[in-house]
Amino acid sequence: MNSNDIINIFFDFFQKRGHKIIPSSSLIAPNPSTLFTAAGMQQLNSYLLGEKDVIKDFRTRHLVSCQKCFRANDINEVGDERHHTFFEMLGNWSIGQDKNGNYFKEGAIKYALEFLVDTLKLDKNKIQVTIFKGEGELPRDEESLKIWQKNGISLPKIKEFGMSDNFWGPVYQTGPCGPCTEIYYDRGEEFGCKKKSCGPNCEYCNRYLEIWNLVFMEYEKKEDNSFTFLKQKNVDTGIGLERLTSIIEKKETAYETELFFPAILEIEKYSNLKYQEAKRNFRIIADHLRAIVFLVSEGILPSNVSHGYILRFLIRRIARIEILLNLKEGWEKLPVKYFVDFYGKRYPELIDKDKKIISIIYEEKNKFKKTLEKGLKEFENQCKKFEKEKIIPGKIVFYLYQSFGFPIELLKELARENNFIIKEDEFWEEFKKHKEISKIGSEKKFGGVGIELAKNEKEKEVLTKYHTATHLLHSALRKILDLTVKQAGSDIKPERLRFDFFYDKKITDNEIKKIEDLVNQKIKENLIVKKEIMPLEEAIKTGALAFFKEKYPETVSVYTILNEKTGEVFSKEICAGPHVKETGILGIFKIQKVESIGKNTKRIKAILINN
Ligand code: SER
């Protein structure tokens, strides 16, 4: 049985129990407050909150999926037995209640046991679980404890933990969350630390591997960090496909399963080291390569901000590990092809992308390589200077960062490997002092991996692109929805645009797609953006859109976005700018959220990928 079989059996199991399969959503998070999709429930957040009607949209309360996920905060753990950047998550949901009742803790636990023990034939004796022991205002999960006992898992195979281990969510700052019960599989003594205290969540070893997280979402976390009851109860579960595959295939880790191993064998051919001699580095490089394949397939390109920053970081990291493994040039080709072919069967967006992926990797690596070797030498020199104290001052870290383009995470990693620590606080002070560099976004957004860094120049460029994208969006809204659509407000941040407008009807998913497609088409057509300065009156006469008439000065700038060859005008607005010169550089436009913010007012949040 391989991972594909596991997915099919999982789908079949839940379909037979009335669940509807929903496709994986994009790796780019549906809500701009986080970068990536990190859990299967993310696309269902509004249904779990009870804001959207699950019956209306899916005709059932029971859903099942296999979701592409990316977790940047696990990046330092990658290469061990449990962590990956990209991974897939199997999940089943029971959302809200109806008159026929719905399954909650009892049903979710029963299904989990039936699937693992009766269907996959895992040994029930090797299963251990954890439950929420209660913390602060939130009570202990007595009900789950009893259900496990009723189902033949008894103490001491049930352990209790607090918020940090057994409470899940919300995935955004606020939202649905709840206590969870986690299912662990005992892989046997040979994987263990042999300590008496060893068990689920052991801090010394990974003998007990968490395979399934059952979340009982009955709370909503509010902005002030308090919890209220949701108006409905939900089940949200997640199985790490990689971990389950390693157990089913009886392998030490997922890296030895068909998810990775054929790719690792290809990489090995280009090294003078064997997998067994440098396991961790082989694993990291395979993990990152797979993640890069998926990120590029979403249209992401290396850059200094947002998703592109993470992609850049992954490529720079493999460039460094390539040196540690003595990999000969060209090593990426076959493993990339392997991932593209293997996953392309399930994710058509990967098909035929291997050449593009390879060229993006090469281009980024070449840019970085020029400084990498010099930088590594310099890093060694600096280490020698601070050999005694084993601490590298922030100023030096900043110098390495600035002169050699080493992401801070990479510097931390280099320091760790050499038993040094770096003065990160000092680094950030230094960073702030250098006025030409600014920090945007929050660390939370990356879950600790990297902070979104951008030089002021870069930031300005991004904001300019969002300005132009806002004009394209505005015009697309008028063309697709109604010519009377009127701007109510606009807010641009380096990570997204927000556009409010007066419109009193519901906007359908089909319309959202059409709007998105039209903007992307106009980006592709590479329209030019022309700036003219003219009297306000004349601007209005020529049909330029103006919404705050009374606020405009007598002379205004008018920005026209038009096709240079045909002369066809797509958008014409009075605006102070700045704007890009050609739409082609905007990247991919993606609407992330459409909401009602007042009786007749709607709000759209959208991002540009690759900006
Ligand atoms: N949301 C939970 C998790 O990601 C269960 O799916 O673990």
Side-chain angles (χ1 to χ4, degrees):
M1 200 191 299
N2 61 25
S3 60
N4 280 326
D5 300 327
I6 296 173
I7 297 169
N8 290 334
I9 295 170
F10 185 75
F11 280 174
D12 188 55
F13 178 92
F14 279 102
Q15 263 185 316
K16 282 198 178 121
R17 286 156 183 81
H19 290 63
K20 180 175 176 169
I21 301 176
I22 53 167
S24 170
S25 62
S26 161
L27 266 180
I28 295 166
N31 176 322
S33 61
T34 59
L35 288 180
F36 293 104
T37 297
M41 54 66 68
Q42 227 151 310
Q43 61 167 323
L44 299 170
N45 207 51
S46 314
Y47 299 100
L48 295 163
L49 275 170
E51 284 174 358
K52 274 192 175 174
D53 185 351
V54 67
I55 295 288
K56 190 163 154 255
D57 292 348
F58 298 103
R59 291 202 200 90
T60 168
R61 298 187 178 281
H62 300 159
L63 304 171
V64 58
S65 82
C66 176
Q67 173 68 47
K68 302 187 274 188
C69 296
F70 186 93
R71 288 191 182 171
N73 48 339
D74 289 339
I75 225 156
N76 292 328
E77 266 75 45
V78 167
D80 69 359
E81 283 129 303
R82 311 186 277 137
H83 294 94
H84 302 279
T85 50
F86 170 86
F87 65 99
E88 289 174 280
M89 194 187 276
L90 299 172
N92 61 292
W93 288 271
S94 164
I95 302 179
Q97 292 87 37
D98 54 31
K99 55 183 182 309
N100 303 320
N102 208 10
Y103 70 87
F104 193 47
K105 296 185 182 179
E106 178 124 35
I109 290 175
K110 268 198 174 148
Y111 280 161
L113 278 177
E114 259 176 65
F115 179 69
L116 295 176
V117 179
D118 303 341
T119 309
L120 291 185
K121 309 284 178 219
L122 290 183
D123 184 351
K124 191 170 177 182
N125 292 320
K126 292 185 177 169
I127 287 177
Q128 297 213 7
V129 301
T130 62
I131 59 153
F132 181 52
K133 75 170 172 195
E135 201 173 309
E137 58 190 293
L138 303 169
R140 180 178 187 235
D141 187 3
E142 310 268 354
E143 202 185 334
S144 293
L145 174 74
K146 290 199 184 107
I147 298 168
W148 281 118
Q149 287 173 321
K150 213 165 86 184
N151 284 283
I153 307 280
S154 41
L155 296 165
K157 288 188 175 172
I158 307 173
K159 302 264 173 356
E160 301 185 28
F161 294 92
M163 288 295 266
S164 58
D165 294 296
N166 276 82
F167 193 89
W168 203 90
V171 69
Y172 304 116
Q173 250 111 16
T174 59
C177 52
C180 54
T181 182
E182 294 178 335
I183 304 176
Y184 285 75
Y185 196 71
D186 179 3
R187 303 188 302 149
E189 252 180 25
E190 65 274 30
F191 292 100
C193 59
K194 305 204 167 54
K195 290 196 193 313
K196 251 198 172 151
S197 62
C198 187
N201 284 330
C202 176
E203 40 179 316
Y204 303 102
C205 71
N206 288 315
R207 169 174 171 177
Y208 295 87
L209 202 58
E210 184 210 326
I211 44 178
W212 206 339
N213 185 14
L214 313 180
V215 187
F216 304 122
M217 287 188 164
E218 50 180 333
Y219 298 110
E220 180 178 352
K221 192 173 178 189
K222 300 284 192 186
E223 252 162 38
D224 62 1
N225 288 331
S226 66
F227 296 92
T228 54
F229 277 108
L230 285 170
K231 49 184 163 191
Q232 61 186 41
K233 287 182 179 172
N234 311 295
V235 170
D236 155 41
T237 88
I239 295 182
L241 179 67
E242 280 70 11
R243 294 182 190 175
L244 186 58
T245 306
S246 73
I247 286 170
I248 298 289
E249 289 194 20
K250 296 195 173 54
K251 296 283 164 39
E252 188 190 348
T253 73
Y255 295 103
E256 291 85 28
T257 71
E258 101 285 17
L259 294 172
F260 287 105
F261 210 56
I264 289 178
L265 289 177
E266 296 296 352
I267 303 172
E268 209 183 30
K269 288 182 196 155
Y270 283 76
S271 172
N272 53 5
L273 291 164
K274 291 271 160 248
Y275 174 61
Q276 292 301 335
E277 295 169 315
K279 253 189 205 174
R280 187 147 186 139
N281 280 333
F282 273 105
R283 288 172 178 179
I284 294 174
I285 215 160
D287 170 276
H288 288 9
L289 208 55
R290 184 176 72 156
I292 291 164
V293 164
F294 274 94
L295 295 188
V296 173
S297 78
E298 298 273 351
I300 300 167
L301 291 174
S303 79
N304 277 341
V305 289
S306 294
H307 308 84
Y309 174 79
I310 297 291
L311 177 60
R312 169 160 284 167
F313 171 70
L314 291 175
I315 300 178
R316 290 185 172 198
R317 200 160 182 230
I318 63 170
R320 192 177 73 84
I321 295 174
E322 173 185 300
I323 298 175
L324 299 177
L325 288 175
N326 288 320
L327 290 173
K328 288 196 283 285
E329 222 171 275
W331 66 269
E332 301 95 334
K333 280 190 191 147
L334 290 170
V336 164
K337 179 96 178 69
Y338 175 75
F339 289 133
V340 165
D341 291 347
F342 181 79
Y343 284 101
K345 293 189 194 98
R346 285 195 286 116
Y347 300 107
E349 62 272 26
L350 296 182
I351 294 173
D352 291 337
K353 287 271 164 60
D354 49 322
K355 294 212 170 65
K356 182 171 179 209
I357 296 164
I358 291 288
S359 79
I360 289 169
I361 295 176
Y362 283 179
E363 200 180 309
E364 177 63 23
K365 256 177 34 180
N366 286 340
K367 263 192 226 156
F368 183 52
K369 246 190 189 156
K370 286 178 202 133
T371 52
L372 177 65
E373 278 171 40
K374 268 197 230 151
L376 287 174
K377 274 213 185 86
E378 186 58 22
F379 184 84
E380 266 173 42
N381 288 340
Q382 294 296 342
C383 282
K384 274 182 208 140
K385 280 197 210 156
F386 301 99
E387 184 61 52
K388 247 181 48 214
E389 48 279 58
K390 295 268 181 201
I391 298 173
I392 310 178
K395 261 200 173 114
I396 304 292
V397 180
F398 186 75
Y399 152 70
L400 292 165
Y401 162 80
Q402 201 181 31
S403 315
F404 302 100
F406 280 17
I408 177 73
E409 293 302 325
L410 200 55
L411 287 163
K412 278 204 268 181
E413 188 174 79
L414 283 171
R416 247 195 326 268
E417 281 169 11
N418 290 281
N419 296 322
F420 275 77
I421 52 169
I422 63 174
K423 282 274 193 193
E424 204 178 338
D425 293 356
E426 280 178 20
F427 166 81
W428 287 114
E429 270 165 38
E430 207 57 36
F431 190 79
K432 274 189 216 135
K433 263 193 243 156
H434 286 69
K435 278 269 185 262
E436 81 278 12
I437 299 175
S438 73
K439 171 182 158 192
I440 52 171
S442 65
E443 181 150 20
K444 186 152 197 322
K445 204 164 163 184
F446 288 101
V449 124
I451 304 216
E452 200 168 3
L453 307 175
K455 293 194 170 157
N456 263 353
E457 281 315 305
K458 177 76 195 166
E459 187 174 323
K460 263 193 233 151
E461 192 187 311
V462 172
L463 295 174
T464 307
K465 286 179 183 174
Y466 274 118
H467 265 286
T468 309
T470 302
H471 282 209
L472 291 179
L473 169 65
H474 188 184
S475 178
L477 287 169
R478 290 166 60 87
K479 290 186 169 51
I480 305 285
L481 297 179
D482 199 321
L483 275 179
T484 61
V485 163
K486 254 184 153 194
Q487 171 170 344
S490 160
D491 176 63
I492 289 172
K493 293 240 158 67
E495 66 271 16
R496 59 116 178 96
L497 66 82
R498 196 180 76 198
F499 189 72
D500 299 342
F501 55 102
F502 300 113
Y503 184 65
D504 56 2
K505 289 189 220 72
K506 193 180 162 348
I507 304 175
T508 64
D509 287 349
N510 191 22
E511 284 167 336
I512 296 172
K513 171 135 195 350
K514 278 193 188 155
I515 295 162
E516 210 174 67
D517 287 349
L518 182 57
V519 172
N520 280 317
Q521 185 195 326
K522 296 298 153 189
I523 292 175
K524 261 207 193 122
E525 284 173 15
N526 199 18
L527 305 183
I528 59 156
V529 185
K530 203 172 76 186
K531 177 181 174 181
E532 290 163 296
I533 298 179
M534 60 180 87
L536 177 62
E537 224 168 284
E538 194 189 323
I540 307 275
K541 258 191 225 153
T542 63
L545 297 181
F547 293 101
F548 309 104
K549 248 186 230 164
E550 67 284 8
K551 287 191 202 153
Y552 292 114
E554 271 172 41
T555 307
V556 292
S557 330
V558 173
Y559 282 92
T560 310
I561 307 182
L562 76 159
N563 186 317
E564 207 175 13
K565 283 186 208 128
T566 62
E568 195 188 334
V569 172
F570 184 70
S571 146
K572 189 167 191 178
E573 286 197 37
I574 298 177
C575 172
H579 284 275
V580 301
K581 294 208 161 43
E582 289 171 342
T583 60
I585 61 161
L586 297 187
I588 300 168
F589 174 80
K590 198 160 168 26
I591 293 180
Q592 297 212 298
K593 200 169 186 185
V594 179
E595 57 188 332
S596 256
I597 53 162
K599 209 162 144 243
N600 296 325
T601 316
K602 301 278 188 296
R603 167 168 288 177
I604 286 188
K605 284 186 185 156
I607 57 166
L608 289 171
I609 306 169
N610 297 340
N611 61 63

